[in-house]
Amino acid sequence: MTFNPLDILSPLAPETGRPLGAKAIVSGLPQGVGIFTADLRLCEWSQEFATLLQLQAEDLQAGIGCADLFRLAIRRGAFSPDDSESFCQYPVNQAMRGQFGHCDLLRADNHTLNIHSIPMVGGGFALICTDITERRANARNGQLSLKMFLHAPDGILFTDHDHHIIEANPASAQLTGYEPAELVGRTVFGLIDPASPEMLANMREHLAEHGRWDGEIELLDKSGDKIPVSAKATCVEDQQAGQPVNYIWLLADISERQWAEAQMRHITRHDTLTGLPNRAALAACLAELLPKAQERGQPMALLLLDLDRFKMVNDTLGHQVGDQMLCEIATRISRLLRETDYVARIGGDEFVIILPDITLPADAAAVANKIIAALAASIRVEHHELHTSPSIGISIFPGDGVAGDTLLMHADAAMYHAKASGRNTFQFFTAEMNRLTNERLEIERKLRHAIMRNELTLYYQPQFTADAGQPTGVEALLRWPHPVDGQIPPDRFIPVAEETGLIIEIGEWVLVTACHQMKRWLNAGLAPLRMAVNVSARQLRQRHFCEMVAGVLADSGLPPELLEIEITESSIMENPQETIGVLTRLCSMGVTLAIDDFGTGYSSLAYLKLFPLDHLKIDRSFVADIEHDLNDRAIAFGTIALAHSLNLKVIAEGVETEEQHKLLRANGCDEIQGYFLSRPLNSAAAFAFLHARCPAP
Ligand code: C2E
Ligand code: CA
Ligand code: CA
């Protein structure tokens, strides 16, 4: 009788006390088991054995040899060991030596099998095959997890269901200043800054409901300092009960990020020169304040402040002086505001002040007055004693607008009016200003069109000697016959052109057209006459203005002494230093110069001596009342006398009546211009008019 190895594998069944059937045992094991007899032939096997080795029913007949069994499996493609023959022989050899064998085998489908061969007393052996793919992966994952836990840069806390810490990694210790062992047993919520108990309650609630929470919180470290962290908590549920058993908390220190963000915010929200909030910050502040004011029914004031003639300081004394002056102004304004008020610098010399809790518009006026007073005292920068004044526009929320943009736009319109009404003052926004602003925008739009379509033309108004009534020249005057609106007077569109800078392009066109026109008239037989062209301050400031004039003269062939440039008194005074230079150059080119609208600015004649002028034009507003208003008459005649003492010739403009003409002539006025002798004429009419009176000799 041969020894049946199964005998020793047969324990007693607990119920019967009799040995269990070998088959039952083999099939009951979770591993794949194959039993081989002493002559190394298969005698018993479990289904799992067949499955793991990927053998089929017909392969597994009792009596097949162990090596053959493996060869069969290899042939079927289940495995491909490096040296298949020695692999197939390995368990057999071990068994014959009565030794345990053990190897891992990679199946073609990437499952790893662990195979043990166990020799049995009296010969024969058992092969026990286990699929260890998952166990291997788990072990690997476990190792990885541990590494991550130990070396992660962020704090990781592993807690029980009630957030008591079970394990804490080194990073969490570093973050909180506690040793890992000190952390164990504490609750995570105990580490969070309890500044907002509501928030903690919300977190707990959210975690209980959704099993996860993330957000930014502040931890309290061991020394009680706050540390901003981004926190993420995730629940690990008990798979059977579906109850949260553990939580994993990830805590990342964001103090550096927050610092960098704050720094960025500061930079993007502040003006580097004065340290005041900038335009972006102002917009954010308004976005925050306005809804609150709306809710509380609280009126608010927005003051837009623009410095008068700041550009002059910058241009004449340099940017450094200008910058220091701005800083001093920022300080003075900030000093007189209340804590709740807000001041921002939104452009070169533009400041915005928000008064969030005024009762009446008069409160805003009081602040505006205080600012005007504060800026009245001179400012010392280096060795300069500087003076400036503000023009302030005020808009009131909600009456003048409920949106920040609207309030700013309206304050701007009011500021513009403050400037126009003599500067160093403030103005409240009114509906009328709104209308004017809209009209200005409309004119700007149409003017751009007009330039593109060549709608602008020039008229020419003759000027005469006062005594003989002999033409001396013409003044070129812009005309804009709009196809729909009819004639748009220069007083309406020239200020817009000046503000928008369109005057540069238009002015150059005027100069070119006027010079060529006079040259054509000369060629057509007109005696040499002066062509007077109006030039705006903005044009004078153009860097290459003189070169442009020289170019036009050369191009047209007009003798320079026949060109007269008219500049208003106020535009000279805008920037006297720079203007002297430009006018001197023009003078040296042979061009003559007239000062326009004299009497409306605030210059003294003595000051004008510094400029190389030829003519002085008495403003038509003085001429208009010369017969009746003794004051105007005194100014007009006084001006004539003074001008003569400075060797300037005087032209009176706007002469409409014979009486005015006579009075002016009697008082020594040199030349006359006005409707009384001729209105402005189109080029053909002007030529006919002039040619009849002054043919070339
Ligand atoms: P302005 O330089 O003082 O020009 C004289 C203005 O007085 C002209 O008005 C002219 O038509 C008007 N005028 C002439 N005689 C009389 C008169 O007897 N009575 C009255 N009431 N007015 C008279 P206009 O053409 O409407 O021009 C107005 C202003 O527009 C000019 O004042 C000037 O400042 C500006 N302007 C006109 N053309 C140009 C230009 O080409 N360039 C620049 N920058 N400004 C121009
Ligand atoms: Ca003029
Ligand atoms: Ca004038």
Side-chain angles (χ1 to χ4, degrees):
M1 192 192 112
T2 53
F3 168 73
N4 186 348
L6 289 181
D7 291 348
I8 56 150
L9 281 174
S10 298
L12 303 178
E15 304 88 22
T16 59
R18 290 213 308 269
L20 279 169
K23 203 162 199 82
I25 297 174
V26 167
S27 326
L29 289 170
Q31 292 97 335
V33 181
I35 310 284
F36 294 84
T37 53
D39 55 355
L40 309 176
R41 299 191 173 280
L42 183 67
C43 68
E44 203 61 72
W45 63 94
S46 66
Q47 182 50 45
E48 188 64 9
F49 182 75
T51 311
L52 287 177
L53 296 180
Q54 295 187 332
L55 292 165
Q56 294 173 4
E58 70 256 32
D59 303 337
L60 290 156
Q61 303 146 13
I64 182 166
C66 176
D68 284 340
L69 205 62
F70 280 116
R71 285 188 197 107
L72 207 57
I74 288 169
R75 211 176 312 133
R76 290 201 189 281
F79 318 101
S80 43
D82 290 340
D83 180 350
S84 45
E85 200 38 42
S86 66
F87 169 77
C88 295
Q89 287 297 341
Y90 172 72
V92 178
N93 292 342
Q94 291 297 98
M96 295 208 314
R97 288 191 211 114
Q99 282 176 358
F100 286 85
H102 166 237
C103 66
D104 284 346
L105 178 60
L106 185 65
R107 221 164 53 189
D109 58 3
N110 269 336
H111 275 247
T112 309
L113 301 189
N114 180 250
I115 301 177
H116 282 271
S117 65
I118 304 167
M120 290 186 290
V121 185
F125 66 100
L127 273 188
I128 315 236
C129 307
T130 319
D131 187 336
I132 57 164
T133 318
E134 203 171 322
R135 193 176 357 128
R136 274 258 169 106
N138 284 346
R140 223 178 6 248
N141 287 347
Q143 272 171 351
L144 262 177
S145 303
L146 183 66
K147 268 193 197 155
M148 257 170 61
F149 186 74
L150 292 176
H151 301 293
D154 296 338
I156 303 173
L157 301 175
F158 192 59
T159 75
D160 67 7
H161 69 282
D162 203 21
H163 306 286
H164 285 98
I165 299 168
I166 299 171
E167 270 191 278
N169 72 339
S172 64
Q174 203 169 20
L175 186 67
T176 58
Y178 293 103
E179 289 301 316
E182 289 180 295
L183 285 169
V184 172
R186 291 172 185 272
T187 83
V188 178
F189 286 95
L191 292 172
I192 301 176
D193 177 31
S196 154
E198 266 155 80
M199 181 182 150
L200 296 191
N202 285 346
M203 270 171 83
R204 274 184 185 278
E205 210 170 288
H206 191 99
L207 266 170
E209 197 173 322
H210 303 279
R212 53 177 56 242
W213 183 88
D214 60 69
E216 291 182 2
I217 52 175
E218 283 188 310
L219 293 184
L220 285 182
D221 72 5
K222 194 172 179 179
S223 57
D225 288 340
K226 289 181 189 176
I227 302 147
V229 295
S230 125
K232 204 175 250 191
T234 316
C235 131
V236 184
E237 283 183 347
D238 177 351
Q239 267 163 356
Q240 264 109 55
Q243 290 291 318
V245 282
N246 298 102
Y247 284 95
I248 297 171
W249 285 79
L250 296 181
L251 305 168
D253 186 344
I254 53 169
S255 42
E256 245 171 71
R257 191 194 82 200
Q258 279 194 347
W259 184 84
E261 279 173 359
Q263 206 62 8
M264 271 313 285
R265 231 183 350 259
H266 188 87
I267 292 170
T268 55
R269 288 284 171 88
H270 285 79
D271 157 36
T272 39
L273 177 64
T274 60
L276 289 180
N278 61 11
R279 187 180 276 276
L282 173 73
C285 167
L286 282 170
E288 194 179 314
L289 282 179
L290 291 173
K292 282 190 203 154
Q294 183 87 284
E295 216 168 84
R296 290 186 298 148
Q298 167 71 52
M300 237 172 72
L302 189 149
L303 282 64
L304 179 72
L305 181 156
D306 186 288
L307 294 175
D308 301 331
R309 303 196 182 88
F310 173 71
K311 199 185 168 303
M312 204 168 113
V313 173
N314 249 353
D315 288 354
T316 53
L317 303 175
H319 282 274
Q320 267 184 343
V321 174
D323 284 356
Q324 287 188 49
M325 183 165 156
L326 285 172
C327 287
E328 171 61 19
I329 286 163
T331 312
R332 288 192 191 180
I333 297 174
S334 308
R335 214 182 283 148
L336 59 83
L337 295 179
R338 285 196 257 162
E339 185 111 333
T340 46
D341 300 341
Y342 185 89
V343 54
R345 176 170 171 241
I346 61 167
D349 59 345
E350 281 191 333
F351 296 83
V352 166
I353 296 131
I354 301 175
L355 309 174
D357 39 26
I358 53 161
T359 318
L360 293 169
D363 298 339
V367 173
N369 270 327
K370 273 204 255 173
I371 293 174
I372 290 171
L375 300 194
S378 64
I379 296 173
R380 268 200 82 80
V381 175
E382 289 161 16
H383 52 278
H384 306 286
E385 188 91 358
L386 304 173
H387 292 270
T388 184
S389 60
S391 292
I392 303 174
I394 308 175
S395 59
I396 305 283
F397 169 89
D400 298 335
V402 288
D405 288 354
T406 320
L407 287 168
L408 255 176
M409 201 170 76
H410 287 171
D412 189 60
M415 191 274 291
Y416 180 86
H417 279 259
K419 278 225 187 287
S421 62
R423 303 158 195 255
N424 197 24
T425 183
F426 67 86
Q427 282 273 322
F428 280 98
F429 172 75
T430 63
E432 171 66 7
M433 288 175 192
N434 201 21
R435 196 186 61 72
L436 288 173
T437 309
N438 288 337
E439 190 186 271
R440 274 211 305 277
L441 288 175
E442 184 63 12
I443 287 192
E444 180 188 345
R445 190 183 61 78
K446 287 181 181 162
L447 193 54
R448 289 184 192 277
H449 250 245
I451 294 171
M452 256 161 32
R453 300 184 184 177
N454 272 325
E455 273 171 26
L456 299 176
T457 63
L458 285 184
Y459 267 49
Y460 302 91
Q461 186 175 33
Q463 301 169 325
F464 305 86
T465 55
D467 43 12
Q470 189 57 26
T472 53
V474 291
E475 179 180 1
L477 293 164
L478 266 168
R479 290 294 174 263
W480 180 9
H482 188 270
V484 180
D485 302 351
Q487 285 288 349
I488 300 181
D491 289 335
R492 269 181 67 202
F493 71 85
I494 297 235
V496 177
E498 285 174 342
E499 244 173 80
T500 52
L502 286 171
I503 195 68
I504 306 286
E505 194 180 334
I506 295 175
E508 187 169 339
W509 175 84
V510 169
L511 194 75
V512 169
T513 311
C515 290
H516 279 89
Q517 183 65 81
M518 183 51 85
K519 179 63 181 165
R520 271 201 300 277
W521 286 343
L522 296 178
N523 292 347
L526 186 70
L529 287 176
R530 209 170 50 216
M531 173 60 79
V533 173
N534 293 286
V535 167
S536 294
R538 184 100 187 226
Q539 288 174 269
L540 278 189
R541 288 207 303 266
Q542 277 290 99
R543 192 167 308 169
H544 301 298
F545 181 72
C546 293
E547 285 82 348
M548 191 270 284
V549 173
V552 173
L553 285 171
D555 238 33
S556 60
L558 184 71
E561 63 279 6
L562 292 189
L563 174 64
E564 178 154 276
I565 282 181
E566 290 192 11
I567 307 145
T568 63
E569 185 189 0
S570 49
S571 67
I572 286 188
M573 297 319 291
E574 230 171 75
N575 198 345
Q577 229 66 31
E578 201 178 327
T579 314
I580 287 185
V582 178
L583 298 189
T584 309
R585 285 190 62 195
L586 288 172
C587 180
S588 67
M589 282 159 51
V591 173
T592 62
L593 302 166
I595 185 156
D596 205 355
D597 298 351
F598 188 78
T600 56
Y602 303 97
S603 51
S604 70
L605 268 179
Y607 191 60
L608 288 179
K609 244 188 358 191
L610 298 173
F611 298 91
L613 302 172
D614 299 279
H615 284 99
L616 198 146
K617 296 184 84 174
I618 300 181
D619 190 62
R620 57 185 188 274
S621 61
F622 297 106
V623 174
D625 279 338
I626 209 169
E627 294 154 85
H628 313 292
D629 187 322
L630 292 182
N631 209 25
D632 281 359
R633 191 187 294 192
I635 292 173
F637 298 162
T639 305
I640 294 170
L642 273 167
H644 285 164
S645 76
L646 295 172
N647 271 333
L648 301 180
K649 287 195 163 185
V650 178
I651 305 177
E653 64 179 1
V655 178
E656 294 185 352
T657 66
E658 190 174 2
E659 194 57 29
Q660 288 168 347
H661 185 181
K662 273 187 190 159
L663 271 171
L664 287 160
R665 186 172 53 195
N667 280 279
C669 184
D670 303 283
E671 293 177 40
I672 299 287
Q673 178 184 352
Y675 296 170
F676 175 62
L677 291 174
S678 171
R679 289 192 167 254
L681 305 167
N682 68 30
S683 59
F687 179 72
F689 182 95
L690 295 169
H691 192 253
R693 286 162 185 80
C694 338

